[in-house]
């Protein structure tokens, strides 16, 4: 598993230490961005889910429990911290999954 994700991990380390490398990655989304536009702030750690083959999971993982109670639950795992920018879109994805799993009408 380590070898499979080694390159990705090295990239994260490089961007963690180098503002230039971080800005270079961010330019994929904001081409005009410059290092002088960015300020270093506090960092955190977010767990990243892996599948059984050691691949990183980039999207939600939905599952239910077992038994009578489990059939009435939906667990959302590997959910990113949405902030305000995508929270409504994420809620829509979850509502769609709930409607499908529990045979509910969608508004």
């Amino acid at each position: 598993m380590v070898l499979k994700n080694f390159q990705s991990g090295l990239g994260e380390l490089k961007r963690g230490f180098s503002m230039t490398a971080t800005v270079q990655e961010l330019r994929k989304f904001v081409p005009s961005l410059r290092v002088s536009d960015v300020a270093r702030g506090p960092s955190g750690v977010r767990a990243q889910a892996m599948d059984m083959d050691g691949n990183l999971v980039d999207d939600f993982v939905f599952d239910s429990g077992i038994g009578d109670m489990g059939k009435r639950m939906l667990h959302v795992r590997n959910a990113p911290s949405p902030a305000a920018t995508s929270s409504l879109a994420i809620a829509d994805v979850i509502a769609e999954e709930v409607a499908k799993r529990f045979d509910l009408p969608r508004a």
Side-chain angles (χ1 to χ4, degrees):
M1 226 182 299
V2 171
L3 292 177
K4 190 173 203 169
N5 297 295
F6 191 73
Q7 182 100 13
S8 177
L10 282 180
E12 290 293 326
L13 283 171
K14 178 181 175 184
R15 288 184 294 278
F17 287 105
S18 169
M19 185 63 78
T20 302
T22 300
V23 169
Q24 189 174 21
E25 184 74 14
L26 292 171
R27 281 190 185 133
K28 293 177 184 177
F29 306 101
V30 184
S32 62
L33 192 67
R34 298 181 316 241
V35 173
S36 61
D37 297 327
V38 179
R40 192 170 296 279
S43 63
V45 176
R46 181 177 75 90
Q48 179 70 50
M50 297 178 125
D51 65 16
M52 295 300 284
D53 296 323
N55 299 308
L56 297 177
V57 177
D58 291 326
D59 211 346
F60 301 116
V61 176
F62 295 114
D63 65 35
S64 299
I66 56 173
D68 289 337
M69 183 66 83
K71 293 177 190 173
R72 297 181 286 177
M73 294 180 191
L74 175 67
H75 301 281
V76 182
R77 297 183 288 119
N78 202 45
S81 175
T85 55
S86 61
S87 58
L88 294 177
I90 290 171
D92 195 45
V93 170
I94 294 170
E96 192 76 32
E97 185 69 21
V98 167
K100 183 174 75 177
R101 284 188 184 237
F102 301 116
D103 198 27
L104 300 172
R106 276 290 277 159

